[in-house]
Amino acid sequence: QVQPVESGGGSVQTGGSLKLSCVASEYVVSEYTGTHYCMGWFRQAPGKEREGVAAIDSDSSTAYADSVKGRFTISQDNAKNTLYLQMNSLKPEDTAMYYCAADRCSGMTVIQALGGEWDILLQATQVTVSS
């Protein structure tokens, strides 16, 4: 089970911004380097279904949920083995536990990865947006 950690998450008011970060484990780095992989964020709020938020692949192609397009930006720093999610213009409906995940993404597009199951969960971070 992935334990929640502080990595840019927290509480903000409507319209605020947060930037989540997630460091890939040594296992992920060693297993995925040189392959077509995907990394991304999905979220789940109490009583709601899980929702893929954003994904990026090793070619830097990206995909976003319609609910966050234009507000969220996913990026990765390969030198630091770190995935980021810049979240702007936050809304109360963005409140959820955000999970960082990785997938071998073999034979899949980043769009497919966004809505699919992920191989490895790396991190969980709570984001709360108040009105």
Side-chain angles (χ1 to χ4, degrees), residues 29-96:
V29 173
S30 64
E31 288 292 311
Y32 289 15
T33 298
T35 69
H36 178 247
Y37 65 83
C38 295
M39 294 191 72
W41 301 87
F42 66 89
R43 65 188 180 186
Q44 188 160 24
K48 295 187 178 180
E49 291 188 357
R50 190 178 81 170
E51 177 187 26
V53 175
I56 187 168
D57 71 7
S58 47
D59 297 324
S60 297
S61 295
T62 58
Y64 296 92
D66 287 342
S67 58
V68 306
K69 280 181 181 176
R71 299 188 297 123
F72 290 12
T73 303
I74 190 171
S75 62
Q76 57 187 349
D77 185 333
N78 292 328
K80 297 181 179 180
N81 298 323
T82 302
L83 182 72
Y84 300 100
L85 185 67
Q86 177 67 48
M87 305 185 294
N88 298 328
S89 302
L90 283 162
K91 305 174 181 180
E93 50 264 44
D94 294 318
T95 295

